[in-house]
Amino acid sequence: MSRRNTEVTDQGTAPAGAGATAECPLREVLALIGDKWSAQVLVELGDGPRRFTQLERAIEGVSRRMLTLSLRNLERNGLVTRTVYADAPPRVEYATTALIEDIREPLEALSDWARHAGPAIAAARDAYDDRRGRPPAARPAPARS
Amino acid sequence: MSRRNTEVTDQGTAPAGAGATAECPLREVLALIGDKWSAQVLVELGDGPRRFTQLERAIEGVSRRMLTLSLRNLERNGLVTRTVYADAPPRVEYATTALIEDIREPLEALSDWARHAGPAIAAARDAYDDRRGRPPAARPAPARS
DNA sequence: CGGCATCCCGGCCGATACTG
DNA sequence: CAGTATCGGCCGGGATGCCG
């Protein structure tokens, strides 16, 4: 007993008035979709309703476990819907709700920014690491003098 | 040996070519500012250059440690600059770079969305918990400030 | 097919103490 | 004022296995 594993904004995450409730709404968004997979799930669902395995293969890298947890979390917060069809082979479809319609654009703007600023960020990071003389990961083959 | 403590996208996080590098740019943004404090730091700095303690008191809830780590991380990725003045009392100012100019708006859009959708999300969560017969967490103690 | 249960690890994050 | 160092917890999250 005593569940040790809660994860991904489980029911104990936001006491709703306990005092944690960040005064900054941005923190709440990040708490919701700031985890490793939720945002990507939303992006995939933005293209239309998808089945579980469809998402699993589309996102690539996500495990059944995390995908389930992320979907449950999104469902709990009313961002996606879960529909079960009584077919012979089990069929479950996930879709976005009207709530996320308004964040799709900012989210894509963020993606766009990442694409645009990516190289500059990498360069900055490289320069920073070089300045500190701290190679990120042991140059594979420095020898070569 | 072998540094145990790295944290907040430290130098060991991104092997820079190891293979992790998410194919989804959105993931990269979240990896950058998706942590607990970085986004809020950016928001504060968006109002203009700030000193360390200024940020520490403005954000409220952040520890020196996490603030330092977040700032270091943001600095490393070229999102903020760190300027040290040779004053009698040490004076360090942090400011945003041109890189973040393009995400300020999407970020604010997200905040705005959170503010707008917040109640609906809370309602959905409440309904979900009620459906599952799982009360969130028996208010520990509101303790009204 | 869709999901849950268990094990386990690494890293986020907070509290505390010490330094220039 | 502006950090840095150390300790410890808690939880995100990957791997695996079982079940309807």
Side-chain angles (χ1 to χ4, degrees), chain B residues 5 7-9 35-37 63 65-66 90:
Chain B
N5 223 356
E7 327 203 358
V8 182
T9 69
D35 65 1
K36 196 169 183 182
W37 305 107
S63 59
R65 198 178 108 85
M66 290 317 296

Side-chain angles (χ1 to χ4, degrees), chain A residues 92-121:
Chain A
V92 179
E93 273 195 354
Y94 291 93
T96 56
T97 64
L99 271 179
I100 29 75
E101 287 300 319
D102 297 328
I103 46 167
R104 289 254 335 263
E105 298 210 13
L107 246 42
E108 289 188 19
L110 251 55
S111 296
D112 192 43
W113 174 82
R115 235 183 301 264
H116 167 262
I121 291 176

